[in-house]
Amino acid sequence: MAREENSNSEALKTAMENLNVQQQPSSSSRNDAASGNGVEVTCFTEVVDDVTLHLQIIHLGKQIYAWIGCNSSKLGHLYAAASTRPNNTASVTCVLGGNSDNTGTGIARRLVLKTGLNIMLASNIPKNSPLLEANAEKKLVEKLIHLGYATPKIKRNILINPDDSRSVMRTLFARKDIVTAMTEADSKIYPPPGAVASISDASPVHYIVKIKLFSLLAKTEVEKYESGVFEAGGYKWNLVLYPSGNKSKNVKEHISLYLAMADTSSLPLGWEIHVIFRLFLLDQNKDSYLVIQAGKERRFHGLKLEWGFDEFIQLSTFNDSRYGFLVEDTCVLGAEVFVCRERSRGKGEVLSMTKQPATFKYTWKIENFVKLDEKRQESQIFKFTDKIRWKILLYPKGKDSRMGTHLSLYLALDLETLPAGFRLYVDYTLRIVDQVKDRKLDLSAKAKHWFGASSLESGWTRYVSLDSIYQSNHAYVIQDICIIEAEVIVLGIGSAF
């Protein structure tokens, strides 16, 4: 490993030395090469999504200097990239003002792979702007192809999913040698219906997952694996893998792989984002990636937090050593996520009814009951969940128009921890316990109510008359102690999205 890193480092050093070019007069015309000075300069401007991109290409024989300016003429960070042997990959180093995480790194690496030339790239595209980066790279590559500095990839139509009832033709973008190799292997790599497959020499820019001893996932009955969280386009994501297929969707003999939003708690109500994403699987034999991409944008929102492919790849193909996807029981997956547009739909709600709701009980023992005045008394908080908390409200001498004649009793939802937009449909019972005789003599009242921010309390102003509660033939107050019980059943929860 150390020998390989030294080899890459030496190759990159040599390439950088080759990039040292004597200063020559600038030109905006490609006629310089014809006149013998060996330099061709091309400048052009593109407007993409209301952003002005200034681009400059200087062709220096076996090397290219390129500059991408975003809404300004600042140089930005400067990177040097060159091919490295024996793996025919590309190595990149920062020459000025940046680090390996900045925008220009990936563009410089891919330009080396596409042109076969050494690259010096300067870019001032802001960090965490994947869509802008992709558009800038696209415009730059289109111009390089037009100028004859890069060769367009082969575009070849093949039937990539013979089981698709629509019998549609998909398009496979790949280098000619890779297309040939896949054809010789009987083209057994069939992307899911509605998806497009491609081959990429560049690693995924946003996240990579390496899984060792992959076979043990199935042997130990791991049905689902969720990756760590990563950020792309200003949002948090993770990969969700079903190594033996998503059983909930009756998937067999395939690996299922999805992109999921990992955290939406900070997003506004009604959020909605449109995304283009690519899922990667490394061919370790060729050091290239199989890339599966949906044929159109996918819309993520409160009701749809996950998109992907039920039949990402056949297990038989995945396990076939000819394809290099599983080598020494190790595989490498990855993802790229590009946010295309965002908007707010306005408010919405999800109602989730509970099929077999649980019953929650709470007992409140009140001492010195006879001495209580007309002030409201509150029980301690009792929890249904960490965010859904309740309390009992008691008015010993009554409330409002029943002051002095009746005891008033209510169940109340605690607003402090209640999530915004939450409502609960509740079946509840409040009772005052008969402490001596049969519990059948308890004073009980039962009701159903929608609790929420606008309706935090429900109960009875005339729960029981004050004369009745103190009658000697009842045992509701014994030794100045009264016991009140609450029984709460949450039948459904409505939440905003």
Side-chain angles (χ1 to χ4, degrees):
M1 185 69 179
R3 184 180 302 172
E4 182 180 345
E5 290 177 354
N6 290 335
S7 175
N8 289 347
S9 178
E10 292 174 3
L12 185 59
K13 181 178 180 182
T14 301
M16 287 185 62
E17 290 174 353
N18 291 336
L19 288 172
N20 291 326
V21 181
Q22 294 182 352
Q23 184 175 359
Q24 299 189 27
S26 64
S27 171
S28 59
S29 169
R30 296 190 61 221
N31 293 330
D32 290 341
S35 63
N37 65 11
V39 178
E40 298 179 359
V41 180
T42 303
C43 301
F44 61 103
T45 298
E46 297 281 352
V47 178
V48 179
D49 295 334
D50 298 326
V51 176
T52 301
L53 295 174
H54 304 285
L55 300 101
Q56 182 182 66
I57 300 171
I58 304 177
H59 185 228
L60 305 167
K62 294 184 179 180
Q63 51 214 19
I64 288 176
Y65 168 84
W67 172 68
I68 303 173
C70 177
N71 286 334
S72 77
S73 59
K74 292 182 179 179
L75 179 67
H77 304 316
L78 182 63
Y79 301 92
S83 60
T84 55
R85 293 180 175 82
N87 295 328
N88 196 32
T89 57
S91 296
V92 184
T93 187
C94 180
V95 178
L96 179 66
N99 56 57
S100 60
D101 295 328
N102 281 318
T103 300
T105 306
I107 298 178
R109 178 182 291 109
R110 289 187 288 273
L111 288 179
V112 170
L113 296 172
K114 291 173 181 176
T115 65
L117 303 175
N118 297 328
I119 298 293
M120 290 287 288
L121 175 73
S123 171
N124 66 13
I125 294 177
K127 191 175 179 181
N128 296 324
S129 303
L131 189 59
L132 180 59
E133 176 185 350
N135 285 328
E137 181 178 352
K138 178 182 177 181
K139 296 297 182 182
L140 184 59
V141 170
E142 287 175 351
K143 183 63 71 171
L144 289 170
I145 292 173
H146 176 73
L147 296 174
Y149 304 153
T151 303
K153 290 187 175 182
I154 301 297
K155 184 176 182 180
R156 178 169 179 170
N157 287 329
I158 63 173
L159 184 63
I160 61 176
N161 196 330
D163 298 326
D164 191 342
S165 60
R166 294 168 295 176
S167 298
V168 296
M169 296 296 290
R170 304 297 183 201
T171 302
L172 177 66
F173 295 91
R175 296 197 318 263
K176 183 176 180 180
D177 59 328
I178 294 179
V179 172
T180 302
M182 293 176 65
T183 304
E184 291 172 352
D186 298 326
S187 298
K188 291 183 179 179
I189 301 178
Y190 302 136
V196 175
S198 63
I199 302 296
S200 174
D201 293 314
S203 301
V205 298
H206 291 134
Y207 201 66
I208 291 178
V209 179
K210 184 176 183 179
I211 303 177
K212 297 181 179 180
L213 298 177
F214 182 90
S215 62
L216 289 183
L217 292 176
K219 291 178 181 178
T220 55
E221 299 182 347
V222 176
E223 293 188 5
K224 176 181 177 181
Y225 171 73
E226 296 186 11
S227 76
V229 175
F230 63 94
E231 292 192 13
Y235 298 90
K236 294 181 179 179
W237 311 88
N238 66 346
L239 291 175
V240 181
L241 170 72
Y242 293 83
S244 301
N246 188 345
K247 291 185 173 65
S248 67
K249 296 188 177 182
N250 199 30
V251 178
K252 298 178 181 179
E253 300 178 356
H254 285 79
I255 289 174
S256 302
L257 185 63
Y258 307 91
L259 174 72
M261 296 201 72
D263 183 9
T264 60
S265 59
S266 61
L267 300 181
L269 295 179
W271 63 271
E272 181 179 291
I273 61 173
H274 292 249
V275 169
I276 293 175
F277 67 91
R278 307 180 186 120
L279 301 181
F280 290 67
L281 178 59
L282 178 63
D283 177 349
Q284 299 171 64
N285 294 338
K286 296 186 177 72
D287 193 29
S288 60
Y289 285 88
L290 170 67
V291 184
I292 305 296
Q293 176 179 331
K296 60 181 181 180
E297 293 178 2
R298 294 304 188 190
R299 183 169 62 99
F300 288 80
H301 52 87
L303 296 178
K304 184 65 174 177
L305 298 175
E306 183 177 282
W307 279 102
F309 306 102
D310 300 335
E311 299 178 351
F312 179 69
I313 191 169
Q314 288 183 340
L315 279 169
S316 58
T317 302
F318 177 77
N319 291 317
D320 192 330
S321 60
R322 292 178 299 170
Y323 296 100
F325 298 136
L326 189 66
V327 176
E328 296 181 355
D329 209 11
T330 298
C331 69
V332 179
L333 303 164
E336 291 183 346
V337 185
F338 302 99
V339 176
C340 304
R341 50 198 173 102
E342 308 158 287
R343 73 185 185 96
S344 177
R345 297 187 317 272
K347 295 182 178 180
E349 179 178 310
V350 179
L351 173 60
S352 302
M353 299 302 293
T354 306
K355 189 173 183 179
Q356 294 179 327
T359 301
F360 188 86
K361 294 183 179 181
Y362 175 76
T363 301
W364 182 19
K365 184 179 180 180
I366 307 172
E367 298 180 347
N368 300 317
F369 184 81
V370 177
K371 300 182 179 66
L372 296 177
D373 56 20
E374 69 277 1
K375 292 181 182 178
R376 185 178 77 176
Q377 304 296 316
E378 296 184 2
S379 72
Q380 292 184 345
I381 295 290
F382 54 100
K383 297 181 181 179
F384 180 76
T385 68
D386 287 339
K387 294 183 177 180
I388 302 175
R389 309 192 307 177
W390 304 94
K391 56 187 174 183
I392 301 172
L393 304 182
L394 168 68
Y395 295 84
K397 306 301 183 185
K399 180 185 179 184
D400 300 333
S401 63
R402 298 302 169 181
M403 179 77 71
T405 62
H406 286 74
L407 177 146
S408 303
L409 195 60
Y410 297 84
L411 177 67
L413 182 62
D414 184 33
L415 181 61
E416 184 176 345
T417 58
L418 186 68
F422 251 58
R423 296 196 304 144
L424 298 101
Y425 186 48
V426 174
D427 184 346
Y428 72 96
T429 302
L430 296 178
R431 62 173 60 93
I432 297 177
V433 175
D434 187 307
Q435 302 176 49
V436 175
K437 301 179 182 180
D438 194 330
R439 289 293 303 269
K440 293 180 180 179
L441 297 176
D442 290 351
L443 288 173
S444 296
K446 184 180 179 70
K448 292 180 180 178
H449 183 73
W450 277 101
F451 288 85
S454 61
S455 183
L456 293 172
E457 302 176 8
S458 177
W460 297 267
T461 304
R462 297 170 37 172
Y463 185 83
V464 62
S465 68
L466 295 179
D467 293 337
S468 297
I469 197 171
Y470 292 113
Q471 285 181 359
S472 59
N473 60 331
H474 294 150
Y476 302 129
V477 180
I478 300 295
Q479 296 181 356
D480 209 8
I481 294 175
C482 181
I483 298 175
I484 299 176
E485 286 185 351
E487 187 175 291
V488 181
I489 304 173
V490 178
L491 301 176
I493 297 177
S495 58
F497 73 95

